[in-house]
Amino acid sequence: MTRKSRSNSARISRRAFSAGIGAAGLAAGIAPFNIARAQGGPLKVGVLLPRSGFEAGIGQDCQRGVDIAAPILKSLGLPELAIVNGDTESSVETARSRAAQMISDSAQLLIGAFDSGQTTAIAQVAEQNGIPLVINIAAAPEITDQGYKFVFRNFPTAKMILGDAFENQKQVFNLVGTAPKTVVFMHVNDTFGTAMSKGINFVMPKFNMPYTIADEIAYDPAARDLSVEVAKAKASNPDALLLVSRLNDAMLITRELVKQRWTPQAILSMGPGWYEDQYLKTLGKLSDGPLSFVPWYDPNKPLSKKLEAALAVAYPGINLNTNHVFTFEALLVAADAYKRAGSADPKALADAIRATNITDNVSIGPGIQFDATGQNTKVKDGAVQNRDGKVVVISPPSAANAKPEWPLTSYQSRT
Amino acid sequence: VPFDVYLNVAVAGLLTGLVYGLMALGLSVIFGVVRVVNFAHGEMMSIAMYLAVVLFSGFHLDPLIMLVPIAAVMFVFGYALQAGLINPFITRPEHSQFLLLVALAIIIVNVLLIIFGPDARTVQTSYAYDSFQLGHLIVDASKLYAGAAAILFAGLLFVFFRYTLVGKSVRACADNYTGALVVGLNVNRLYALTFGIGAACVGAAGVMMTLIVDVTPIIGPTYTLLAFVIVITGGLGSMLGALVGGVLIGLTEAFAGLLFTPSAKSMFAFGILVLVLLFRPQGILGRRTA
């Protein structure tokens, strides 16, 4: 009797329990959001990167830019950011669903996602939900050509990369007093590679380049073996290789160049891969020589020195590169806008990002400002070259810290 | 395109195809005898690849020297897997077997991801960048060694199945399950042995593959799919068919890249598969079943 009575008095009905849990969940879900807005707490920033899948190496490299950001942003007097990490798994569909999930988990701003295809999907989700997206790295022009109001890109478009690349190539050719007459253009067939391939036909004629394209070879970025592609390029007997690559394929191409006993005059890359830390470390002395015409950092800027120092402490032996710099700058844009907006309201944040005018930055160029489409038109590319496991800046002259070496040292003499 | 380029591409395609063939041989052997489709085949290969990478980076043991020991380890793994996990599923519906092996594949990928991280790993042997030049023909040394080892391994397997008592018993199981039971063969043990041999094949192929490609945890599913394409093209259950299918797919991929566009290599490989399914559903060397 007694036991029954106690049981009855203590019992909570299933409905009441469910209602309680629901209310608690609702309170837990909403409360931090309200507190953040009311008390000016950290801005909840979702960072979407390809942390696994075939782009994982670069995605994890971008993450290093996030890892070293907090103390530097604090030293600049900027508010704290609460970072939530997300993995696109190098897949467009996963990028889309993770972005939607982050927004439903109350992310107030998104950053990402290195890959143009994945970033396009995230941009659609961000725009539909009215949440600002600051793109760290992605070059397909279409992303900021859609008339989006919540999408901002502090990275050059494919057209800008090509224009700057041709300008910097001519600068390098002038410095070394020679130039290739023919090139074979090898590129990945993903969104970025295809955008670059389309753009090259429009942009190249305007620059009166000294070379012609003897052949164009598109390949799968997840390819396991590029021996046929390199054999095909070699058969055209070009002076140089013009490339738009990723990391794994850059390593595969280099290995095939060695095995097929072919050293072109120059490797002219207009994308990632060839300057990545993993490329330098995996290939050792075989990594020396390729020239990359890419968005880069100005080693002479004060904030670059801070970033270099922070990276050296957090990741000894890792060279500062585009992945760290532009991911860090995306956070810089977010923190700067949050400070000026004084609120996490998405529209106020978007308006503040649109009014960004950061001159104390890291990347080459006068600073960070966005036009009406959300594109930073001030950002400039550089020409960099691998030297003894480091990456030096060759051009533009304002950012240069070394002179170019030309031609490539024979691969056979290095093995 | 000069003739020597065709020759170089043909040799590279042939050598890579032989390694593909050995990998697919494991799948074919398992299916031919145990009648279980190993959906974790490529993932098992990635285990062997990581073993080769770890032994090389930790102890500087050359993958070609470690070929037999790693194949032996994979044999034990396969034997234990069949005896402990897969055997109870032999008589269950095919979808149960499918789910079990897909689950196993996902577990392998994620365990490798946890242990090794997502970065590509490679084996930098002393001959990693060597090539042999015969006139205009340049042959990648790693591919040549891998292709030769694949032929040797496959040859040993043929001898085992044709001339040894255990090999004949395994073939008896494959030909007539009930008959094998009637004459007193220990079918469960022979199934486990067969699965072990299939795992050893894929293990050996994986070790050789480390000489040709970088290894990442997510490489497995790609090779599982490739093994299916090869085995179905060559003839499911046919050992020689697996080798022929491997060479055919290797050559198709190579020439599709050279003559058309490299980004369409897989399309041509799958095109061959579709043609085979349309005009010779049992595969090139497969036997027609009722």
Side-chain angles (χ1 to χ4, degrees), chain A residues 233-299:
Chain A
K234 187 185 174 187
S236 299
N237 195 28
D239 291 335
L241 277 178
L242 190 65
L243 294 134
V244 174
S245 324
R246 300 293 186 188
L247 175 58
N248 288 345
D249 49 310
M251 292 196 284
L252 287 175
I253 290 171
T254 308
R255 288 191 186 124
E256 283 304 325
L257 288 172
V258 182
K259 288 178 183 178
Q260 297 190 24
R261 305 181 182 200
W262 178 38
T263 309
Q265 268 182 36
I267 288 169
L268 311 169
S269 165
M270 300 188 295
W274 299 82
Y275 55 75
E276 314 284 348
D277 228 69
Q278 200 183 334
Y279 178 86
L280 301 171
K281 290 196 166 40
T282 304
L283 294 174
K285 56 190 173 182
L286 293 173
S287 69
D288 280 349
L291 287 153
S292 298
F293 300 87
V294 287
W296 199 252
Y297 71 98
D298 183 340

Side-chain angles (χ1 to χ4, degrees), chain A residues 51 53-54 56-57 60 189 217-219 224-225 227-229 232 234-235 255 258-261 278 282-283 286, chain B residues 5 20 118-120 122 124 128-129 131 133 138 140 143 213-214 218 222-223 254 257-258 260-263 265:
Chain A
R51 298 165 200 273
F54 71 94
Q60 299 210 350
N189 67 351
I217 300 170
Y219 59 87
R224 304 175 297 272
D225 181 1
S227 57
V228 175
E229 288 79 349
K232 198 174 179 182
K234 187 185 174 187
R255 288 191 186 124
V258 182
K259 288 178 183 178
Q260 297 190 24
R261 305 181 182 200
Q278 200 183 334
T282 304
L283 294 174
L286 293 173
Chain B
V5 176
Y20 285 174
D119 286 352
T122 184
Q124 296 280 0
Y129 296 102
S131 53
Q133 189 155 15
I138 297 175
D140 177 347
K143 278 185 183 163
V213 300
D214 292 351
I218 56 151
T222 315
Y223 283 105
L258 181 66
F260 299 95
T261 172
S263 52
K265 279 193 284 192

Side-chain angles (χ1 to χ4, degrees), chain B residues 195-216:
Chain B
F195 209 98
I197 291 169
C201 271
V202 79
V207 174
M208 286 177 268
M209 203 61 94
T210 53
L211 300 175
I212 302 174
V213 300
D214 292 351
V215 56
T216 63

Side-chain angles (χ1 to χ4, degrees), chain A residues 94-332:
Chain A
T94 309
R96 191 191 306 278
S97 64
R98 291 282 190 280
Q101 192 184 339
M102 277 190 159
I103 292 170
S104 71
D105 288 347
S106 71
Q108 293 157 325
L109 185 143
L110 297 180
I111 282 175
F114 172 73
D115 177 283
S116 288
Q118 293 156 41
T119 307
T120 302
I122 295 166
Q124 288 165 357
V125 175
E127 188 70 18
Q128 282 161 5
N129 288 275
I131 294 292
L133 165 68
V134 181
I135 296 167
N136 65 334
I137 298 174
E142 301 82 40
I143 302 171
T144 44
D145 286 350
Q146 310 282 330
Y148 289 157
K149 301 286 179 237
F150 289 88
V151 177
F152 303 90
R153 170 162 50 188
N154 176 41
F155 195 79
T157 62
K159 197 176 160 189
M160 291 164 72
I161 291 175
L162 283 167
D164 283 358
F166 291 133
E167 214 161 81
N168 282 317
Q169 280 177 26
K170 287 173 85 169
Q171 176 79 20
V172 170
F173 300 154
N174 281 337
L175 285 169
V176 298
T178 185
K181 299 282 178 284
T182 54
V183 298
V184 164
F185 178 37
M186 295 180 74
H187 65 86
V188 285
N189 67 351
D190 61 10
T191 311
F192 171 55
T194 310
M196 292 288 276
S197 170
K198 280 182 194 164
I200 208 164
N201 297 320
F202 293 106
V203 179
M204 199 172 139
K206 295 176 188 164
F207 285 86
N208 192 26
M209 296 306 287
Y211 55 71
T212 54
I213 295 177
D215 195 6
E216 181 173 336
I217 300 170
Y219 59 87
D220 183 353
R224 304 175 297 272
D225 181 1
L226 292 174
S227 57
V228 175
E229 288 79 349
V230 173
K232 198 174 179 182
K234 187 185 174 187
S236 299
N237 195 28
D239 291 335
L241 277 178
L242 190 65
L243 294 134
V244 174
S245 324
R246 300 293 186 188
L247 175 58
N248 288 345
D249 49 310
M251 292 196 284
L252 287 175
I253 290 171
T254 308
R255 288 191 186 124
E256 283 304 325
L257 288 172
V258 182
K259 288 178 183 178
Q260 297 190 24
R261 305 181 182 200
W262 178 38
T263 309
Q265 268 182 36
I267 288 169
L268 311 169
S269 165
M270 300 188 295
W274 299 82
Y275 55 75
E276 314 284 348
D277 228 69
Q278 200 183 334
Y279 178 86
L280 301 171
K281 290 196 166 40
T282 304
L283 294 174
K285 56 190 173 182
L286 293 173
S287 69
D288 280 349
L291 287 153
S292 298
F293 300 87
V294 287
W296 199 252
Y297 71 98
D298 183 340
N300 305 318
K301 286 187 176 181
L303 196 54
S304 300
K305 295 185 194 306
K306 274 191 188 178
L307 212 57
E308 277 178 328
L311 191 76
V313 171
Y315 298 101
I318 301 279
N319 297 312
L320 188 64
N321 68 27
T322 293
N323 302 327
H324 316 133
V325 166
F326 284 91
T327 308
F328 167 79
E329 283 198 343
L331 293 168
L332 177 69

